[in-house]
Amino acid sequence: MRRKKDEIKVKEKVNWPVTILLIIGLVTVIFPLYMTVVIAFKQPSEMTNSIAGILSLPKTWSFSNFIEAIQVTDFWHSLLNSVLITGITVGISILVHSMVGYAIGRNKARKKFYNFAYLYIVSGMFVPFAILMMPLVKQTANWGIANPVGVILCYVVFYMPMNVLLYAGYLTNIPIALEEAAKVDGATTWRTYWTVIFPIMKPMHATVAVLTALGTWNDVMTPLVIMSGSGLNTLPLAQMTFQTQFGTNYNLAFASYLLALLPILIFYVICQKQILNGVVNGAVK
């Protein structure tokens, strides 16, 4: 009897509320991507006011919109500017923010100054960009850095609160005994950080890199207000040429959006193995 009972298969109940939410989330993500791809490959003559005309597949899959979008936006120069700004911002952020997070994470529980510094830096997440916009424009102009250099410095400051929060939280999962052992071997604090702690924080470096790169790559307002008049464009700024007071060329705009999506998507795919681990561990405390 017991064997028969053990052999009875228990039917697993489907959690319908969670399943429905997952389906809604999947449709929410896939539908805009589908629209972007379809409109990017369509010709303007295929765009009609009906929903069926917009959702339907292109009659002919042509890359003419992509070629024209590259020419109109000066794509390669804009791409180079975006890559340089994003790459330098990510590199500086990982170096600077990890050191700040290390100093604060290891001392905030023992010293009030570091705890105050932590709260002060993290509070920067609640300051809206609209309040800082005009002072930043004037300050960067007075310092002569109304160019990509000024944009990079602003990004490093803007993303410091979030990144310090992540690094400080991640450090709680790293045993302090590792640093004590390094000190016993004669290593200084600086050497201990670079040879022991910094390599261990690799998952968090990947997380910070992706989050910072996504925000920097897609940002419009900071380059717009700081670099206006410099003649330099990032990809988001270049894509604004498709929007005029008389209308928007959606076919060229969506083709340009797909082109701008590819580099950051490749970067995300490369770092995705480290992202989940870094986010989960960094958000523990």
Side-chain angles (χ1 to χ4, degrees):
M1 293 295 294
R2 289 182 180 180
R3 290 182 180 180
K4 292 182 179 180
K5 290 182 180 180
D6 293 337
E7 292 176 356
I8 296 176
K9 295 183 179 179
V10 179
K11 295 183 178 180
E12 296 182 359
K13 294 182 179 180
V14 179
N15 193 335
W16 286 110
V18 175
T19 304
I20 293 173
L21 288 176
L22 289 175
I23 294 173
I24 294 174
L26 183 64
V27 172
T28 304
V29 173
I30 291 179
F31 181 73
L33 184 60
Y34 168 80
M35 290 291 297
T36 303
V37 173
V38 168
I39 294 175
F41 281 94
K42 280 185 177 181
Q43 297 301 317
S45 58
E46 300 180 56
M47 298 289 293
T48 61
N49 293 329
S50 64
I51 298 178
I54 297 175
L55 296 179
S56 62
L57 295 174
K59 296 179 181 178
T60 57
W61 295 81
S62 173
F63 288 91
S64 59
N65 289 331
F66 295 89
I67 297 173
E68 188 174 352
I70 290 174
Q71 296 172 349
V72 171
T73 59
D74 193 12
F75 178 79
W76 299 113
H77 286 94
S78 301
L79 175 64
L80 179 61
N81 292 332
S82 290
V83 169
L84 288 176
I85 291 175
T86 303
I88 295 173
T89 299
V90 170
I92 295 176
S93 297
I94 290 176
L95 293 176
V96 175
H97 298 166
S98 63
M99 287 189 289
V100 175
Y102 172 68
I104 291 177
R106 283 299 189 233
N107 294 285
K108 68 176 183 177
R110 297 177 299 170
K111 299 179 181 180
K112 293 183 179 180
F113 170 77
Y114 288 96
N115 188 44
F116 171 78
Y118 175 75
L119 295 176
Y120 178 78
I121 293 175
V122 172
S123 65
M125 290 190 294
F126 304 101
V127 180
F129 179 75
I131 297 177
L132 305 174
M133 186 167 58
M134 292 309 297
L136 283 175
V137 172
K138 186 174 182 180
Q139 195 68 42
T140 52
N142 290 338
W143 288 357
I145 54 173
N147 49 45
V149 175
V151 174
I152 292 171
L153 290 177
C154 289
Y155 283 144
V156 172
V157 175
F158 293 161
Y159 291 102
M160 179 178 285
M162 178 185 66
N163 293 343
V164 169
L165 176 68
L166 292 174
Y167 276 120
Y170 189 82
L171 278 166
T172 59
N173 300 305
I174 300 177
I176 198 171
L178 295 175
E179 300 167 54
E180 294 175 348
K183 290 181 180 179
V184 170
D185 293 336
T188 61
T189 303
W190 183 258
R191 184 177 178 83
T192 299
Y193 172 74
W194 287 111
T195 58
V196 179
I197 303 301
F198 191 82
I200 294 177
M201 292 195 295
K202 183 180 178 180
M204 185 51 63
H205 296 328
T207 303
V208 167
V210 170
L211 295 178
T212 304
L214 285 174
T216 303
W217 187 267
N218 297 319
D219 185 42
V220 177
M221 290 304 299
T222 306
L224 178 64
V225 299
I226 293 180
M227 294 198 307
S228 59
S230 64
L232 299 174
N233 282 332
T234 59
L235 281 176
L237 289 182
Q239 290 166 354
M240 293 179 67
T241 58
F242 300 115
Q243 300 177 2
T244 65
Q245 60 179 334
F246 303 106
T248 302
N249 191 330
Y250 290 104
N251 302 98
L252 295 184
F254 279 60
S256 180
Y257 297 156
L258 281 180
L259 290 173
L261 175 65
L262 291 178
I264 199 68
L265 182 62
I266 294 172
F267 178 70
Y268 178 82
V269 170
I270 294 174
C271 298
Q272 66 176 340
K273 292 182 180 180
Q274 305 291 337
I275 295 171
L276 183 60
N277 187 24
V279 170
V280 172
N281 291 332
V284 173
K285 291 184 179 180

